[in-house]
Amino acid sequence: MEMKTVTPDAISKIMANPSPDSSVDVPDLVVQVLDLRVVGNRFMFTASDGQEKLKGILQSSFSDMVSSGSIQNLGLIRVLDYTLNDIPTKPEKYLLVTKCESVSPALQMEIKAEAKNEDCGVVLKPKEQVKEEPGILLTPRQEVVAKSAAQIVIEQRGNMAPAGRMAMTRRVHPLASLNPYQGNWTIKVRVTSKANMRSYRNARGEGNVFNVELTDEDGTQIQATMFNEAAKKFFDKFQAGKVYYISKGTLRVANKQFKTVQNDYEMTLNENSMVEEAGDEGVFIPETKFSFVPIDQLGPYVNGRDLVDVIGVVKSVSPTTSIRRKINNEMIPKRDITIADESKKTVVVSLWNDLATTVGQELLDMAERSPVVAMKSVRVGDFQGVSLSALSQSIVKINPEIPESTKLRSWYDSEGKEASMASVGAVLSPSSMGGARSMYIDRVPISHITSNTSLGEEKPVFFSLKTYVSLIKPDQAMWYRACKTCNKKVTEAIGSGYWCEGCQKNDEECSLRYIMVAKVSDASGEAWVSTFNDQAEKIIGCSADELDKMKSQEGEENLYHGKLKEATWVLHHLRVSVVQNEYMNEKRQRITVRSMAQIDIAAETRFLLNEITKTKASQ
């Protein structure tokens, strides 16, 4: 077995060169990984060369290497690219690894050299015995030359333009390598979307804000936000479509509520940040990266915050129509296109403004040839069950040269052209959220949820169930006292009436609203689900106020218990969300009913026949 060991003085070499200009300048640095642990969406560890140690961070992009076992605690890695930087809240320096490769899985123990300057390193076989062999002999470290690298660069750049100075003084970092703990960095990005300046007012005061979406050469995107002075300084500077060098910004974990691009982080630029337009040298067109969602799997994204990427064959294109905006009565152009994919489902995509008149017209002109269209960052709505809408930052590509496009074209030409297609939102059910949603897109048995305990760890996931309500405990707290105006919980006021904190007022009366737990069952198993007022009313068949009156009645035949019994063993379609909650330091799965509908016998029959056909075809 080949012997593997650390590079002697690896930590000293890293400390002496805290930010190499490129990965080519990095010497051979093999270190042992100690104390590897998960912290949030990254991995913390200690890098050791047998003599010295340094705390380190592996960002979330290394999660595949950790989960597959390529990077293990007590294992060896070769650091190919890194940055050494200070974290404001920590007194010591951290090694931020941006590129590495696995050298060895876990060794039996930590490598420790006996003396600082000895010429023998300790070599360990993976999972075997400890063995000492001669280590790598290093040539004496060279003396520091009179001119530092920084001085040479200053002499070289002379009177170059600001953008050129930024390009030469610092290595350009890919967006994928940035994180909140990094020190100085420079990025080279194209502005792919620029929002309007808007004003805000909150508890801390009022001001102005605007944001841009930035894309680098690899197609990675990030949203950058500027407030007040920075907003005034950079609003005219940033122009959509142009390429810039940017440095001295800060990063933080992205707020999912306002997130429009696929990135764990978002950027903030202040008045001290540096933004310079790139010259003609090396200006690039970003490579658009897609993460396609099949049309028949769009259901969980309906009315959600996440944008999606889709690809499909264009089945039809409508003429341009004009829609009047409610806000300012402005007329804006709109065009609908219908696309299909290998799931044999279709969905309507609405194109607005310039996309409707430019790309939309191009698609209309070539509609007879059934082009393939790929779209990045579109919103999923509930019109006609499931629909898509392009936004200002959406990217639309016609017949893109990507493998997914080739595969889709091949399928359509060979069988899709003659296949029977159905709208993804064809099977509808009324939704408590004001729209309509398919109960068949992602139907699963209850056991699929209960057996997968990791579901909903990062964000809620949605499923559809066809299930019976099998038990409603009569002794549970089934409702709460609610404000008649805003439905929030009220408390008994001093004297009389009820106090609503939300409305900041006292009311003589309140209403009761359900907050009920019920057990649901199907052929695969059972689970407890939480239901709120609208869904519980449909299950019980009356309001909480009416059920409360039944409960307060006395007599041998209590109507309250009878009403709950009537509600059990009734078949329902349920749309549920699944999240992970922590209770008494223990993670628990919480299943909540979001909408429900009665069984449509005709639609259910069509669905089951289709499932039978799929099963036969796969056998």
Side-chain angles (χ1 to χ4, degrees):
M1 183 181 288
E2 184 187 351
M3 301 299 175
K4 309 269 178 73
T5 188
V6 294
T7 304
D9 293 325
I11 303 302
S12 298
K13 291 178 182 179
I14 291 170
M15 297 289 283
N17 187 12
S19 185
D21 288 337
S22 71
S23 56
V24 178
D25 299 332
V26 177
D28 192 61
L29 300 172
V30 176
V31 296
Q32 187 176 27
V33 176
L34 305 176
D35 308 320
L36 181 64
R37 65 193 188 281
V38 181
V39 178
N41 63 347
R42 61 190 185 280
F43 303 92
M44 307 294 288
F45 75 104
T46 300
S48 170
D49 63 6
Q51 299 168 348
E52 295 182 83
K53 295 180 180 179
L54 185 61
K55 289 189 177 180
I57 298 173
L58 295 168
Q59 51 202 14
S60 58
S61 57
F62 290 99
S63 58
D64 288 344
M65 293 182 72
V66 175
S67 59
S68 68
S70 294
I71 298 177
Q72 296 181 6
N73 194 47
L74 293 179
L76 304 179
I77 61 170
R78 177 173 285 106
V79 178
L80 301 173
D81 204 0
Y82 67 89
T83 302
L84 191 69
N85 57 314
D86 297 299
I87 297 178
T89 56
K90 305 285 185 182
E92 66 267 63
K93 289 185 177 293
Y94 272 71
L95 170 67
L96 188 70
V97 178
T98 53
K99 190 177 179 183
C100 73
E101 64 182 19
S102 175
V103 174
S104 169
L107 306 177
Q108 278 194 338
M109 60 187 291
E110 179 185 339
I111 295 175
K112 289 183 180 178
E114 291 181 6
K116 173 80 177 173
N117 296 318
E118 64 180 7
D119 288 337
C120 287
V122 178
V123 183
L124 293 181
K125 285 185 178 179
K127 302 296 181 186
E128 291 184 12
Q129 73 279 7
V130 182
K131 185 174 181 180
E132 291 189 2
E133 289 198 358
I136 301 169
L137 202 60
L138 292 177
T139 55
R141 189 177 298 161
Q142 293 181 351
E143 295 297 322
V144 178
V145 294
K147 288 185 180 179
S148 68
Q151 287 174 316
I152 294 169
V153 169
I154 290 169
E155 290 176 7
Q156 285 178 342
R157 74 188 188 204
N159 295 318
M160 290 177 69
R165 291 202 297 270
M166 289 179 73
M168 284 197 66
T169 53
R170 238 178 252 128
R171 177 168 50 123
V172 172
H173 287 68
L175 283 178
S177 73
L178 300 189
N179 64 71
Y181 305 103
Q182 208 155 340
N184 291 331
W185 46 256
T186 297
I187 55 173
K188 187 178 181 183
V189 287
R190 186 179 291 275
V191 176
T192 45
S193 176
K194 177 185 173 183
N196 294 326
M197 182 82 77
R198 59 188 188 277
S199 57
Y200 67 88
R201 179 180 294 174
N202 57 30
R204 289 176 292 180
E206 55 186 51
N208 298 308
V209 61
F210 89 101
N211 55 58
V212 290
E213 287 173 12
L214 309 173
T215 308
D216 69 3
E217 196 167 6
D218 297 328
T220 307
Q221 291 187 296
I222 196 167
Q223 180 174 288
T225 305
M226 287 138 281
F227 294 91
N228 303 324
E229 293 304 315
K232 293 175 188 174
K233 179 178 178 181
F234 295 122
F235 185 75
D236 292 331
K237 182 93 176 176
F238 279 124
Q239 298 296 320
K242 291 189 175 180
V243 177
Y244 298 86
Y245 289 104
I246 300 174
S247 65
K248 296 186 179 178
T250 56
L251 276 84
R252 63 179 181 181
V253 176
N255 183 338
K256 291 185 178 180
Q257 186 176 353
F258 306 110
K259 180 175 159 185
T260 60
V261 298
Q262 294 300 317
N263 200 312
D264 292 339
Y265 304 111
E266 60 189 11
M267 185 182 295
T268 302
L269 302 179
N270 58 42
E271 55 267 37
N272 296 319
S273 298
M274 296 183 67
V275 176
E276 295 294 343
E277 187 177 344
D280 292 335
E281 46 78 38
V283 170
F284 60 90
I285 302 296
E287 176 193 342
T288 305
K289 287 183 178 178
F290 294 97
S291 181
F292 294 119
V293 176
I295 292 175
D296 67 344
Q297 294 176 29
L298 289 171
Y301 298 91
V302 170
N303 290 337
R305 292 172 180 167
D306 287 341
L307 304 180
V308 302
D309 303 346
V310 293
I311 187 169
V313 177
V314 177
K315 298 284 289 179
S316 65
V317 183
S318 79
T320 304
T321 57
S322 293
I323 304 296
R324 188 181 297 278
R325 266 194 181 143
K326 290 181 181 178
I327 301 173
N328 54 12
N329 280 333
E330 181 187 354
M331 299 295 289
I332 55 173
K334 176 196 175 192
R335 191 191 300 268
D336 288 339
I337 66 171
T338 302
I339 63 171
D341 68 4
E342 290 166 281
S343 66
K344 296 181 183 177
K345 293 288 187 290
T346 63
V347 68
V348 175
V349 188
S350 296
L351 304 178
W352 304 84
N353 295 311
D354 291 345
L355 282 176
T357 54
T358 55
V359 175
Q361 184 60 45
E362 190 177 348
L363 287 171
L364 181 63
D365 294 340
M366 59 195 304
E368 290 183 1
R369 300 196 293 276
S370 302
V372 172
V373 63
M375 285 172 276
K376 184 171 185 62
S377 302
V378 295
R379 193 172 298 288
V380 188
D382 58 18
F383 181 68
Q384 294 182 344
V386 180
S387 61
L388 300 175
S389 186
L391 309 174
S392 59
Q393 69 264 32
S394 301
I395 298 172
V396 181
K397 289 187 174 289
I398 301 172
N399 293 325
E401 294 182 3
I402 54 176
E404 294 90 342
S405 178
T406 306
K407 184 182 174 199
L408 190 59
R409 167 56 57 198
S410 174
W411 165 80
Y412 187 75
D413 290 342
S414 62
E415 58 173 296
K417 193 181 297 184
E418 307 300 328
S420 153
M421 301 281 183
S423 168
V424 70
V427 184
L428 305 179
S429 66
S431 165
S432 62
M433 299 178 71
R437 208 171 263 173
S438 173
M439 287 290 180
Y440 295 101
I441 291 175
D442 44 19
R443 184 195 286 181
V444 296
I446 290 173
S447 61
H448 175 82
I449 297 174
T450 55
S451 64
N452 192 345
T453 55
S454 63
L455 282 175
E457 280 187 342
E458 294 183 0
K459 63 180 182 180
V461 289
F462 294 82
F463 299 102
S464 297
L465 303 173
K466 185 182 77 171
T467 181
Y468 290 92
V469 174
S470 54
L471 176 63
I472 303 170
K473 286 185 177 179
D475 56 349
Q476 65 176 297
M478 292 186 62
W479 47 68
Y480 68 95
R481 290 173 177 170
C483 172
K484 287 194 167 186
T485 305
C486 69
N487 293 330
K488 289 185 178 178
K489 187 176 181 180
V490 296
T491 55
E492 288 190 27
I494 299 171
S496 66
Y498 303 92
W499 171 255
C500 175
E501 190 66 31
C503 297
Q504 289 288 303
K505 70 173 185 178
N506 207 49
D507 204 328
E508 287 302 315
E509 295 182 347
C510 68
S511 62
L512 299 180
R513 289 179 67 82
Y514 284 113
I515 179 165
M516 183 181 79
V517 175
K519 183 185 282 187
V520 295
S521 304
D522 66 10
S524 71
E526 57 187 18
W528 289 98
V529 298
S530 300
T531 60
F532 297 109
N533 191 68
D534 293 352
Q535 292 76 42
E537 270 192 7
K538 291 178 182 177
I539 291 172
I540 302 296
C542 67
S543 68
D545 286 306
E546 291 171 314
L547 193 61
D548 181 48
K549 288 176 185 176
M550 295 179 194
K551 190 174 184 180
S552 61
Q553 289 176 355
E554 294 182 2
E556 291 183 9
E557 190 176 335
N558 192 298
L559 296 175
Y560 170 75
H561 289 274
K563 196 68 177 172
L564 296 186
K565 194 170 182 181
E566 283 177 21
T568 57
W569 297 111
V570 177
L571 191 58
H572 295 283
H573 266 152
L574 302 181
R575 180 83 180 158
V576 300
S577 65
V578 184
V579 296
Q580 294 287 334
N581 282 355
E582 197 165 299
Y583 179 74
M584 302 290 286
N585 293 325
E586 182 183 342
K587 280 192 175 181
R588 291 189 178 183
Q589 204 173 52
R590 181 181 173 90
I591 308 171
T592 304
V593 178
R594 297 299 178 183
S595 63
M596 59 182 299
Q598 292 180 335
I599 303 294
D600 180 333
I601 300 299
E604 181 67 17
T605 304
R606 285 195 298 270
F607 173 77
L608 293 174
L609 287 171
N610 189 39
E611 290 297 297
I612 291 168
T613 305
K614 283 183 186 175
T615 305
K616 284 184 175 179
S618 63
Q619 288 176 349

